Amino acid sequence: MELRGVVKEFDDGRVKALRGLDLTIMGGEPVAIIGPSGCGKSTLLQIIGALDRPTSGEVLFDAQPLQARRNLAAFRAREIGFIFQSFHLIPTLTAAENVEVPMFEIGLSRKARRARAVDLLESVGLGHRLEHLPAQLSGGERQRVAVARSLANTPRLLLADEPTGNLDSASASRIIELLVEIHRLHATTMVIVTHDPRVATRVGRVVHMLDGSIVSDGPIETENRT
Amino acid sequence: MTIAGMVWRNLFRRRTRTLLTVLGISVGVAAVVALIGFAQGLEKVWQEAYKARGTDLVVTKVTSRSPLPVPFEQRALQEFLDCPSIEASAALLSDMMGVEDSSAVLVFGWEKPSFLWDHLRFLEGRAPESGASREAAIGRIAASSLGKKIGDIIQIEFEEFTVSGIFESPALVENGAIVLPLEQMQAATGREGKVNFLNLRLKDPPTGVAEVKARLEKLHQGFSALDSAEVASRNSGIEIVRAMSWATSLLALFVGMFGVTNTMLMSVFERVKEIGILLAIGWRRARVMGMILLESLLLSLIGGVFGLLIGICIARALETADLLRGRLKADIGPGLFLVAMSLSVALGLLAGVYPAWRASRLQPGDALRSE
């Protein structure tokens, strides 16, 4: 994935969230994006995930500009998995059903959807919580359901926006381990926006942002020295 | 899990709002069932009346669409009646008249003797005699509402008649009416020699109808011969009732439809973030649109089913009310159910179009940022 001179403005240009960003992420690479609140981390993640279009500049996936893709919904469904800070589960659906939701777009049968959802929830340690509604789960469990959902269509790129931001320390550690494990097993490309230094220490590369620009980009050792 | 399952559960998020919306649609559908049921019922009682009398064709003034057409000279059609296809004819004069304290009771004058009298079943007494005796037969419902029994005097406009018999007819409309011999009706209304219907019984109805109609057109311009269904459907009174019923029902349905639109719009606004999630995880806009439309459709379907039940209950309750008891029955059948449900479904889809479009146009990034 490559970003070339990406600018994102809101409010008719009065707010500049991203100021000409250049960033290249290799396939299978885990990247942490850190920086203070309002520095443009989440906006960057939304642009990488094709949820928002840049005001100017270019985003390339597999060397192909995202803007040129006719069906961005299908691209998101097949290539990208999202994990959000506030879980964003559908409150009326059970854990298993929440995991099934993205699978509608890849044409799996009802039975296959269910079987895959059960497998995924078991893999995140929630095999015993399949029929629970989000309101009946703890914060950590909800985020694990969200992780399972993000993997539903076996994406090549996993985007996580503050995945441990709303969790207690123990639950946060579990989610971090889960993400590390996913990367180890599937070599999924990961971009994790985080405030959590523990997340940053577990990934190979840390991008530090400030006021819509990248101020440093490098291996964790470099970041620690900064 | 299926999309329909998701949609079903969405309806239960705000139960009270869903219930009120369903009730809104129900009122519209109930209005269709009850009002159109009664309008059809009215048409049916007139059809029944002609069928019960054994009438194959009714001759009347062509220009008149009134339930009580302009009277014409009975002798005017003599030449036409001299036709081998016509087995029998019976002249009839009818009008709405003041009877005792009731301002409008249907009063018939029937030619005597004629086949018109054959279908009446006398519960008490007998048919009125022609001539100077001034007798009247009254229908079961009219007898009970006017409080009359055999031998009582009944005042029709300014004339007095003796009740000779109380009858029951297979035609509801006749049970609430009074029947006099034709010449007495003509005298009472000052229309000597005049009638407003000629009932014909044909020797061979299937083939005779066209022949007799053509003969009438050729010999007597300004008259038309109609079968029982045509008479009822061309009846301007029935047409007005039908039009009013449709207007009222459609108005109620449209109010219900706007209720659904309002509910669905509120539901979409409340779920902006959730719709944003669905779009973020790859749902196509068409799928989001379909989900909202399905919710709207489901609301209308449930409303439709409740509306059918409520409509039937209202119709049955009104049939037993004093005003209508024994006079009119709502004609409610599968055809009307189908029409009411189709309208409900069509309006439900229409109601969902704008909210569904709004939902599908959300930008996932903006939707996720919304509070």
Side-chain angles (χ1 to χ4, degrees):
Chain A
M1 170 141 259
E2 190 180 352
L3 280 75
R4 290 180 187 159
V6 167
V7 172
K8 179 66 184 177
E9 295 170 351
F10 293 105
D11 214 5
D12 293 328
R14 281 189 282 273
V15 179
K16 292 189 190 311
L18 300 176
R19 300 164 187 263
L21 238 70
D22 294 308
L23 181 69
T24 303
I25 300 163
M26 304 308 290
E29 187 181 22
V31 180
I33 298 177
I34 63 168
S37 293
C39 70
K41 307 185 295 286
S42 296
T43 306
L44 173 64
L45 204 68
Q46 294 207 343
I47 284 177
I48 294 174
L51 294 182
D52 229 335
R53 290 171 190 276
T55 310
S56 63
E58 220 176 11
V59 182
L60 297 110
F61 188 87
D62 280 347
Q64 217 193 339
L66 276 190
Q67 285 91 329
R69 285 179 189 263
R70 281 222 311 247
N71 192 344
L72 280 180
F75 168 73
R76 284 195 296 269
R78 289 174 187 279
E79 306 286 7
I80 296 181
F82 280 104
I83 302 166
F84 305 95
Q85 179 178 1
S86 11
F87 326 127
H88 286 343
L89 300 176
I90 310 286
T92 49
L93 303 182
T94 64
E97 288 167 339
N98 262 291
V99 177
E100 281 185 54
V101 171
M103 298 183 216
F104 282 111
E105 290 300 329
I106 57 165
L108 285 185
S109 71
R110 190 175 169 178
K111 217 169 156 182
R113 286 198 301 266
R114 172 75 190 177
R116 178 150 176 77
V118 171
D119 282 350
L120 284 165
L121 282 170
E122 279 170 355
S123 74
V124 298
L126 287 176
H128 60 300
R129 300 293 231 180
L130 300 175
E131 305 307 329
H132 286 65
L133 291 170
Q136 298 164 323
L137 300 172
S138 70
E141 286 173 327
R142 285 183 217 178
Q143 195 59 304
R144 278 188 278 156
V145 175
V147 170
R149 180 181 65 184
S150 74
L151 299 173
N153 296 344
T154 340
R156 284 196 287 161
L157 178 60
L158 199 62
L159 304 177
D161 191 358
E162 304 272 12
T164 57
N166 273 355
L167 300 179
D168 59 63
S169 175
S171 302
S173 298
R174 189 145 189 201
I175 292 295
I176 295 165
E177 291 313 313
L178 199 56
L179 293 175
V180 169
E181 182 70 2
I182 290 164
H183 181 256
R184 191 181 63 78
L185 288 174
H186 308 288
T188 311
T189 312
M190 277 186 195
V191 181
I192 305 168
V193 163
T194 185
H195 273 113
D196 191 337
R198 288 172 301 175
V199 178
T201 55
R202 297 299 301 268
V203 297
R205 178 181 170 193
V206 174
V207 173
H208 195 151
M209 284 182 71
L210 197 64
D211 288 336
S213 304
I214 294 172
V215 290
S216 73
D217 178 0
I220 185 68
E221 293 79 15
T222 315
E223 176 59 29
N224 283 342
R225 281 197 299 271
T226 309
Chain B
M1 189 205 35
T2 58
I3 303 273
M6 267 179 90
V7 164
W8 178 253
R9 270 179 259 180
N10 282 340
L11 296 183
F12 290 93
R13 289 183 185 208
R14 296 203 179 246
R15 284 161 203 249
T16 313
R17 187 173 69 194
T18 298
L19 188 71
L20 289 174
T21 312
V22 162
L23 266 178
I25 282 280
S26 302
V27 169
V29 174
V32 171
V33 171
L35 292 175
I36 307 300
F38 275 116
Q40 290 185 171
L42 187 62
E43 194 169 335
K44 201 172 175 185
V45 292
W46 280 98
Q47 281 184 28
E48 274 173 0
Y50 291 109
K51 276 193 189 136
R53 292 172 192 166
T55 303
D56 295 317
L57 278 177
V58 178
V59 175
T60 180
K61 278 270 196 188
V62 76
T63 49
S64 177
R65 291 170 79 90
S66 161
L68 301 167
V70 183
F72 54 89
E73 286 292 337
Q74 191 177 356
R75 283 173 311 188
L77 297 176
Q78 274 312 317
E79 190 187 347
F80 157 70
L81 289 175
D82 188 18
C83 164
S85 300
I86 299 174
E87 185 184 278
S89 77
L92 180 160
L93 180 63
S94 55
D95 207 349
M96 298 298 287
M97 300 173 80
V99 177
E100 310 262 316
D101 293 333
S102 302
S103 57
V105 173
L106 187 58
V107 181
F108 292 111
W110 288 355
E111 197 171 359
K112 204 161 186 287
S114 78
F115 62 82
L116 290 176
W117 298 89
D118 299 349
H119 70 287
L120 297 187
R121 188 168 71 87
F122 278 88
L123 304 170
E124 289 175 65
R126 53 168 175 76
E129 294 291 340
S130 311
S133 53
R134 302 182 70 77
E135 289 179 339
I138 60 178
R140 178 174 58 80
I141 304 293
S144 121
S145 59
L146 294 165
K148 294 292 175 189
K149 53 186 191 303
I150 303 291
D152 283 357
I153 298 295
I154 185 165
Q155 189 177 344
I156 302 175
E157 300 286 352
F158 300 108
E159 309 279 337
E160 287 189 342
F161 294 82
T162 307
V163 176
S164 70
I166 295 170
F167 64 81
E168 183 169 46
S169 163
L172 276 177
V173 68
E174 289 176 353
N175 286 327
I178 296 173
V179 187
L180 310 176
L182 177 61
E183 69 281 1
Q184 294 197 5
M185 175 68 175
Q186 289 169 331
T189 55
R191 291 163 174 167
E192 279 83 1
K194 292 195 168 180
V195 298
N196 52 7
F197 287 109
L198 208 55
N199 287 243
L200 301 181
R201 190 176 272 180
L202 305 183
K203 281 190 180 134
D204 183 15
T207 55
V209 165
E211 183 199 331
V212 172
K213 277 185 171 183
R215 180 180 162 81
L216 180 70
E217 247 172 60
K218 193 175 147 204
L219 290 177
H220 303 284
Q221 286 193 344
F223 286 92
S224 65
L226 309 166
D227 62 36
S228 56
E230 285 173 324
V231 178
S233 66
R234 280 169 55 111
N235 182 322
S236 64
I238 294 173
E239 275 175 2
I240 290 168
V241 169
R242 202 190 292 136
M244 292 288 290
S245 304
W246 272 114
T248 314
S249 316
L250 286 178
L251 196 68
L253 268 176
F254 274 109
V255 171
M257 184 188 94
F258 288 121
V260 174
T261 303
N262 184 47
T263 295
M264 291 314 302
L265 262 183
M266 282 171 74
S267 171
V268 166
F269 291 150
E270 284 165 5
R271 286 189 283 160
V272 163
K273 197 164 232 168
E274 200 174 300
I275 292 164
I277 299 164
L278 294 174
L279 291 167
I281 61 180
W283 270 34
R284 283 170 290 143
R285 294 189 185 281
R287 192 179 296 279
V288 170
M289 202 165 170
M291 180 180 75
I292 303 294
L293 275 177
L294 198 59
E295 279 184 43
S296 172
L297 183 68
L298 207 58
L299 275 175
S300 308
L301 267 178
I302 300 169
V305 171
F306 276 116
L308 290 185
L309 297 174
I310 296 170
I312 293 169
C313 292
I314 290 175
R316 296 294 170 244
L318 284 176
E319 281 169 2
T320 56
D322 284 346
L323 187 69
L324 295 177
R325 192 185 308 141
R327 291 187 176 88
L328 188 58
K329 267 193 170 160
D331 180 22
I332 298 172
L336 185 56
F337 288 165
L338 198 68
V339 168
M341 285 307 287
S342 308
L343 274 171
S344 166
V345 165
L347 291 180
L349 281 175
L350 204 61
V353 168
Y354 179 64
W357 180 80
R358 284 289 298 257
S360 74
R361 299 320 299 167
L362 285 172
Q363 292 304 318
D366 296 340
L368 287 174
R369 274 191 293 274
S370 73
E371 287 309 318

